[in-house]
Amino acid sequence: HVDELASLTAPLIVVNHEHAAASAREMAALRPRATSLALVLDTVSVLLGAVLLFAAVRAARLYHRAFDERRQLAEMRASELDHFAARVAHDLKAPLASVVLGSSVAAQHPEQTTRTLVKIQRTSRLMGEMIDALLAAARVEPERERAGGTAVAPVVDLLVEETRPAAAEAEASLCVEPFAPTVMVACSSGVLACVLSNLLQNAVKFIRGATGERTIVVRVLERAAWVRLEVADTGPGLPKEIEDHVFERYVKGKESTGMGLGLATVKRLVETAGGRLGVASSPGKGSCFWTELPRAGNGAESRVAG
């Protein structure tokens, strides 16, 4: 029985040995491929980790960039709001002083109440139109104004009348050269009033430094497609170093007490209306600020301040 069992067990041992040897050979053959696959998977994992890290860093940078852009936009809007408030305060100072003066005259001289109230109404209406013009110009991307037409004569008459007391206080004569009462410009009366009011106020303010004759002259000249408005004075003129930059924001002369926003506002309003502007100055002899606005067509609707 032992011999029979041995004879039966021996082939099984041989078969098992051969099977084990074959399995060992297969494992030896699979080991390099498994090692290579593991290496590939490790490499892919590292690359995926690097990609995810890069994406996370990029997302963080984009978030911070968007945050900075929003902060800068908020600061720009706040700055524009400050500039708008300064422009309104600057441009409405003279008309508001005229309203206050008119109210005082009406209170002290009842016989002139009707005439004074009419003037106050005209000035108040013009102030509203000036605010509308400043609001339109304060936009980040202002649209080009499309106005039917504004008669120049009523606006010039009203603003010159309001400026005369300040000119008299500065011991300067203020006159308007004759021009056709039918002249019209293709912009709102608010734009025209803001532009002319700024030029008149600057002329009165700086003519105080003149040593000789003090004269301010307003001219309205018709061109083929333009209406040219000039405000000339015999003041001290502009220093050469700021003449080319006088229409930029916060640029002002040494003797100026303002914020340097008036002429920058004029430039923005004129450009919004599709016009152009400039200055000719001679130190010690005076300056002539001019602007050319598109001339309104013959069939344009007239808009008169008052």
Side-chain angles (χ1 to χ4, degrees):
H1 293 296
V2 172
D3 293 337
E4 291 179 358
L5 180 62
S7 63
L8 292 174
T9 305
L12 293 176
I13 293 174
V14 172
V15 171
N16 185 48
H17 175 73
E18 291 177 351
H19 181 71
S23 298
R25 286 193 298 271
E26 290 179 0
M27 292 177 63
L30 291 174
R31 183 175 181 180
R33 288 190 293 173
T35 303
S36 300
L37 181 60
L39 182 61
V40 170
L41 291 176
D42 289 343
T43 304
V44 171
S45 299
V46 172
L47 291 177
L48 286 176
V51 169
L52 291 175
L53 179 61
F54 175 78
V57 172
R58 180 175 177 80
R61 288 179 178 176
L62 290 175
Y63 172 79
H64 286 295
R65 183 182 301 173
F67 179 79
D68 290 339
E69 289 176 353
R70 290 182 180 179
R71 178 178 56 78
Q72 293 174 1
L73 180 61
E75 291 177 353
M76 182 179 67
R77 289 178 176 174
S79 177
E80 286 295 328
L81 183 61
D82 291 341
H83 293 154
F84 173 71
R87 287 169 182 164
V88 171
H90 180 277
D91 289 1
L92 298 186
K93 187 184 298 182
L96 185 59
S98 176
V99 170
V100 173
L101 179 62
S103 302
S104 301
V105 170
Q108 296 174 6
H109 304 281
E111 69 279 2
Q112 299 184 15
T113 299
T114 302
R115 178 174 174 271
T116 304
L117 288 178
V118 170
K119 180 180 177 182
I120 290 175
Q121 289 177 348
R122 293 174 60 196
T123 303
S124 300
R125 192 177 301 116
L126 186 61
M127 288 174 63
E129 293 171 352
M130 292 170 69
I131 291 175
D132 291 340
L134 291 172
L135 278 171
R139 296 173 183 164
V140 177
E141 294 293 339
E143 297 180 358
R144 181 165 176 173
E145 185 175 341
R146 298 182 181 276
T150 297
V152 176
V155 177
V156 171
D157 292 343
L158 181 58
L159 291 178
V160 168
E161 184 179 355
E162 290 179 352
T163 310
R164 285 194 189 281
E169 184 181 350
E171 299 179 352
S173 63
L174 174 59
C175 64
V176 180
E177 291 188 355
F179 64 95
T182 57
V183 178
M184 297 178 63
V185 289
C187 68
S188 68
S189 55
V191 170
L192 178 61
C194 286
V195 170
L196 185 57
S197 176
N198 270 289
L199 298 183
L200 285 172
Q201 289 181 50
N202 277 353
V204 171
K205 178 167 62 176
F206 290 105
I207 204 170
R208 299 176 188 273
T211 55
E213 181 183 3
R214 298 181 180 182
T215 304
I216 301 172
V217 180
V218 178
R219 303 185 186 96
V220 179
L221 308 172
E222 294 183 86
R223 299 289 189 262
W226 303 90
V227 174
R228 181 182 178 100
L229 286 86
E230 296 181 355
V231 177
D233 64 73
T234 57
L238 293 172
K240 287 297 183 183
E241 61 271 15
I242 70 169
E243 184 174 347
D244 294 335
H245 307 282
V246 72
F247 293 105
E248 297 176 8
R249 219 180 251 175
Y250 304 122
V251 174
K252 55 184 182 178
K254 296 180 180 180
E255 304 299 327
S256 175
T257 57
M259 299 178 62
L261 289 174
L263 293 178
T265 302
V266 169
K267 179 181 179 181
R268 191 173 181 89
L269 289 169
V270 169
E271 291 178 347
T272 301
R276 52 199 181 195
L277 72 169
V279 60
S281 181
S282 299
K285 296 182 180 180
S287 303
C288 178
F289 285 86
W290 60 268
T291 178
E292 291 181 343
L293 295 170
R295 187 173 180 178
N298 295 330
E301 178 186 355
S302 176
R303 298 200 299 175
V304 180

